Amino acid sequence: MKKGTDRKKLVRVIMTFAVTFIMTSVFLLDIFTYIMCNKYEKKFAFTKEDFSLTDGDDRIHFLNTANSDCILLESNGHFALVDSGEGNHNPRKKTEYHGFSEDVINYLKKVALKYDGRVYLDFILGTHCHYDHYGSFEDIINDTDIIIEKAYFKVYDPSIGTEIESKSWGNSDTYNRIMTALNKRGIPVISNLPDGEFAFGDFKVKFFNTVTPEELKGRGENSASVGVKLTKGERTAFLAADFTAGSGLEEYYGDSIGQVDLLKVGHHGYFGSSSPSFLKKLKPKIAIVTNYLGKIYPNVKWNLTVVAKVPIYSCVNKDGIVATFTDGNEIKLSENAMK
């Protein structure tokens, strides 16, 4: 009896030591990578955004919607919206909370307002049916002062997601509410997303993962993510939506995306995004994350700062970031006070 008890006690001690060692290692890794983030942040100088268009009007606005995606594209007087940020009615949240619908709408009316007092968007794109990407679309669509020429949304396919997504995350209901709002406004919905490159102002735009590969189905709704590559002159950006290694998208599309200058980090910097092999293919010089810097997983920060030596800039810490693609083939960054 005593021998068996001693063995169990030894196992508990070993397990406690192992867990403590792992947690301490992760903690130290997080501190080290955070220090590296601060060091590399000095690579690009930030100015305060004043919306004066001093460096031109070909810009990507990364809005501060906490750990959710909302990206406004601007070029030569044209505007488009990629994802909409967290809304106010996330079916996964059981308590009242404040989303970002009002903030996003106010920003659109601050930056993209035309002479007649309305906002005109060439298109909106929903990258995939998760509420932290789709959440504010319904309120945006229902605002009659926002005119949307067309909407790019792949048809929601529950077979792509996991069982818990289908049953508990309200993806289908979120998608249906958006489709109802679009139909009510008479906005054309394009479900067969274009495969080829198309012009948007002075940018060239290309969508990736317009059709989710069959072999990736069942891995989760992130596998349906649509990536967006933007090119102006010699400079490029890739907006990685929720591309991750786990979803299979990084490996599947890495080679065809090619090298870029700016990377919008996939899946808000959570585990599984920005694998070393993906970063080796893209070779970004700037990484922008739609999340708090402290919430990025240590291994992702390690991959970006230590392996790829890329500075990471947080939309939240800077209350939004504007990346201007100048006519002189530069990318200039500015902090943006959204309020």
Side-chain angles (χ1 to χ4, degrees):
M1 181 76 175
K2 186 175 186 303
K3 189 174 182 180
T5 303
D6 289 344
R7 186 179 292 112
K8 288 180 181 179
K9 184 177 180 180
L10 178 62
V11 170
R12 285 198 298 269
V13 170
I14 292 172
M15 289 298 296
T16 300
F17 177 80
V19 170
T20 302
F21 176 78
I22 292 170
M23 291 180 67
T24 303
S25 299
V26 171
F27 177 70
L28 293 174
L29 176 62
D30 196 38
I31 292 175
F32 175 74
T33 54
Y34 202 93
I35 292 171
M36 294 301 291
C37 285
N38 290 332
K39 176 184 175 181
Y40 283 128
E41 211 178 33
K42 299 173 184 176
K43 284 189 175 183
F44 286 82
F46 269 78
T47 59
K48 194 70 178 176
E49 183 58 50
D50 60 7
F51 301 98
S52 64
L53 303 181
T54 302
D55 295 309
D57 61 357
D58 300 312
R59 315 194 294 179
I60 305 174
H61 304 246
F62 299 90
L63 276 64
N64 173 12
T65 53
N67 53 326
S68 67
D69 273 19
C70 184
I71 302 169
L72 178 67
L73 310 181
E74 176 185 4
S75 184
N76 199 17
H78 294 265
F79 292 89
L81 193 65
V82 177
D83 287 331
S84 65
E86 180 89 16
N88 301 325
H89 309 289
N90 192 332
R92 294 172 63 188
K93 296 183 184 291
K94 304 301 181 185
T95 57
E96 289 291 326
Y97 73 102
H98 174 66
F100 293 92
S101 295
E102 185 178 351
D103 295 325
V104 172
I105 289 172
N106 287 342
Y107 189 85
L108 291 175
K109 292 181 178 180
K110 173 183 178 181
V111 175
L113 206 65
K114 297 296 185 181
Y115 62 92
D116 62 355
R118 289 182 168 185
V119 172
Y120 290 84
L121 300 176
D122 286 23
F123 66 86
I124 59 174
L125 166 68
T127 60
H128 64 294
C129 196
H130 276 162
Y131 197 81
D132 59 338
H133 293 256
Y134 272 25
S136 294
F137 269 133
E138 186 179 2
D139 289 333
I140 292 167
I141 294 163
N142 285 332
D143 191 312
T144 55
D145 289 328
I146 300 176
I147 310 301
I148 302 167
E149 185 176 325
K150 54 181 172 288
Y152 291 116
F153 286 86
K154 293 199 294 190
V155 175
Y156 174 61
D157 181 357
S159 71
I160 294 173
T162 61
E163 186 176 354
I164 190 172
E165 287 178 295
S166 299
K167 290 183 177 180
S168 305
W169 289 16
N171 293 354
S172 181
D173 181 59
T174 298
Y175 174 81
N176 289 334
R177 289 168 68 94
I178 291 171
M179 291 302 109
T180 298
L182 288 167
N183 290 332
K184 186 177 179 181
R185 289 288 307 274
I187 299 168
V189 179
I190 301 172
S191 299
N192 296 319
L193 273 57
D195 285 318
E197 197 173 64
F198 64 91
F200 170 74
D202 295 326
F203 279 120
K204 293 178 182 177
V205 180
K206 182 171 174 55
F207 295 155
F208 287 83
N209 199 33
T210 56
V211 178
T212 308
E214 285 293 325
E215 58 265 40
L216 302 186
K217 289 187 176 181
R219 294 197 185 190
E221 178 62 20
N222 285 343
S223 296
S225 291
V226 178
V228 181
K229 186 174 182 178
L230 296 157
T231 304
K232 182 193 172 184
E234 299 174 4
R235 296 290 167 245
T236 56
F238 183 65
L239 313 179
D242 278 0
F243 272 49
T244 64
S247 69
L249 293 179
E250 289 190 353
E251 180 181 1
Y252 202 94
Y253 290 105
D255 288 325
S256 54
I257 294 167
Q259 294 186 24
V260 300
D261 296 286
L262 185 153
L263 172 66
K264 195 292 292 186
V265 175
H267 202 206
H268 323 287
Y270 294 141
F271 184 82
S273 70
S274 306
S275 64
S277 60
F278 187 64
L279 294 172
K280 186 176 180 180
K281 292 171 183 177
L282 270 61
K283 292 183 169 58
K285 299 177 182 66
I286 303 167
I288 293 179
V289 64
T290 52
N291 203 346
Y292 297 87
L293 196 59
K295 283 191 174 184
I296 305 173
Y297 276 44
N299 67 308
V300 176
K301 285 196 287 244
W302 175 274
N303 292 341
L304 286 162
T305 59
V306 178
V307 177
K309 294 181 172 56
V310 182
I312 310 170
Y313 301 106
S314 162
C315 291
V316 182
N317 293 93
K318 295 188 178 297
D319 202 14
I321 294 173
V322 177
T324 300
F325 286 59
T326 72
D327 292 336
N329 280 315
E330 293 182 283
I331 297 177
K332 293 190 175 182
L333 303 177
S334 55
E335 297 178 272
N336 168 30
M338 281 179 58
K339 304 299 183 183

